[in-house]
Amino acid sequence: QLITIHLPLPDTTQNYRAELIYEGPTDDEAYLGIANCNPEGPLMMYVSKMVPSSDKGRFYAFGRVFSGKCGTGQKVRIMGPNFVHGKKEDLFLKSIQRTILMMGRYTEPIEDVPCCNICGLPGVDQFLAQPGALPI
């Protein structure tokens, strides 16, 4: 309960943290979507952890949606940790198999996840072995 009382809301903090989160120019659509926590902006999600799933050797990509909406079947660009802007290395274009809500050791499938929330993505582990970004 103390966390909900004392920590600021994500849409408040993203405004002044956007330049730390996003490395691109500060006047493009992605930056403005992150800074304003825009649910109608482009999808910008950061995968912070790969969580083991119940399937042997498979992982859920666990992360936070900073802008837009992350939904099942949506086409995304998966940028790995070695991605360099302007190059095709460590960049994949794939569809999201499922979006799941992770609650402790239990998971629940959900249709989509709006910005300022966290979720898990199964199937991304084939392309993202370490933390990375998923912009649309």
Side-chain angles (χ1 to χ4, degrees):
Q1 189 178 15
L2 286 173
I3 290 174
T4 59
I5 294 171
H6 294 288
L7 288 180
L9 295 172
D11 58 351
T12 305
T13 59
Q14 275 183 212
N15 194 20
Y16 61 85
R17 291 182 183 164
E19 57 192 48
L20 300 172
I21 297 168
Y22 185 69
E23 295 177 356
T26 58
D27 61 347
D28 73 349
E29 188 181 13
Y31 176 85
L32 295 173
I34 292 172
N36 299 324
C37 205
N38 185 359
E40 303 302 320
L43 171 63
M44 298 297 288
M45 177 178 179
Y46 182 75
V47 174
S48 57
K49 187 172 186 166
M50 300 302 283
V51 179
S53 72
S54 57
D55 299 336
K56 290 252 187 230
R58 298 304 301 264
F59 292 86
Y60 295 128
F62 179 78
R64 179 161 169 228
V65 179
F66 286 104
S67 170
K69 193 181 288 188
C70 182
T72 303
Q74 185 176 11
K75 283 243 186 236
V76 295
R77 286 182 291 170
I78 301 171
M79 299 187 304
N82 299 323
F83 174 76
V84 177
H85 186 71
K87 296 186 178 179
K88 302 262 185 199
E89 184 181 322
D90 212 10
L91 176 67
F92 307 95
L93 181 62
K94 300 294 173 191
S95 292
I96 296 174
Q97 292 177 359
R98 288 184 301 149
T99 49
I100 57 171
L101 181 62
M102 300 176 74
M103 301 170 291
R105 63 182 181 156
Y106 302 106
T107 61
E108 182 178 321
I110 51 178
E111 190 174 321
D112 56 28
V113 181
C115 62
C116 298
N117 290 293
I118 55 176
C119 69
L121 303 174
V124 177
D125 60 336
Q126 304 167 40
F127 312 103
L128 195 62
Q130 299 175 11
L134 272 85
I136 182 169

